[in-house]
Amino acid sequence: MPLPPRKGKPLQLQVLRHILWVGSAAVPLPNVSWVEVFRLRPDWGKAGLYLLLVVVSASLFSDQLGSLGEGGGPTLVVLAGFGLVVVCAVLLSSRKPVLIFELNSGSRVVLTLPTMDELRAIAGQIVYAIDHPEYEFTAVLEQHNTTNNFGSVVNLNGGRGNTGMKL
């Protein structure tokens, strides 16, 4: 059994004797029903919430400047521009590449890495291992940053009574 990953350390993904190990979590390969690599859709809700927050704070800030006798118009334009930059940054950062494999129970394991090519290679190896029980492989997934925006991240969720697991 592989050791559990530590925060900021490499995550080991391994197929050994027809078991897929994601860190220290074991998934029998016959239980994998679906494997796909794609880019997540932009998070419009999060971007809209940030825009609303910036607009409300800009409005309050310009009202306070107006009560002091200073012009709040240019400040409002600058803050609105800042809000637009924040919204664009949130939308662009939420389009990360993911590898999802779903289990027969309805649970899903989601893995993110910086490039689609890395994820496609891993997905191909997993699918090949499903059809060929003798095939074994190991992939070490490096953590690229501490905020996990594009580092190796695994989420297991869904299924009956499963509260989820994040590595």
Side-chain angles (χ1 to χ4, degrees), residues 1 3 13 15 21-23 33 42 50 56 62 74 83 85 92 100 102 104 106 108 110-111 114 123 129 140 145 151:
M1 180 171 137
L3 293 173
L13 186 73
V15 170
W21 291 92
V22 183
S33 60
Y50 283 143
V56 167
S62 67
V85 168
L92 291 175
I100 295 182
E102 188 168 318
N104 293 336
R108 289 178 304 279
V110 181
L111 173 70
V140 177
N145 58 30

Side-chain angles (χ1 to χ4, degrees), residues 31 103-107 158-160:
N31 289 350
L103 309 178
N104 293 336
S105 65
S107 299
R160 192 177 309 152

Side-chain angles (χ1 to χ4, degrees), residues 30-48:
N31 289 350
V32 176
S33 60
W34 180 65
V35 178
E36 186 171 357
V37 176
F38 61 93
R39 285 197 182 275
L40 285 177
R41 290 187 193 146
D43 192 352
W44 288 98
K46 189 175 183 181

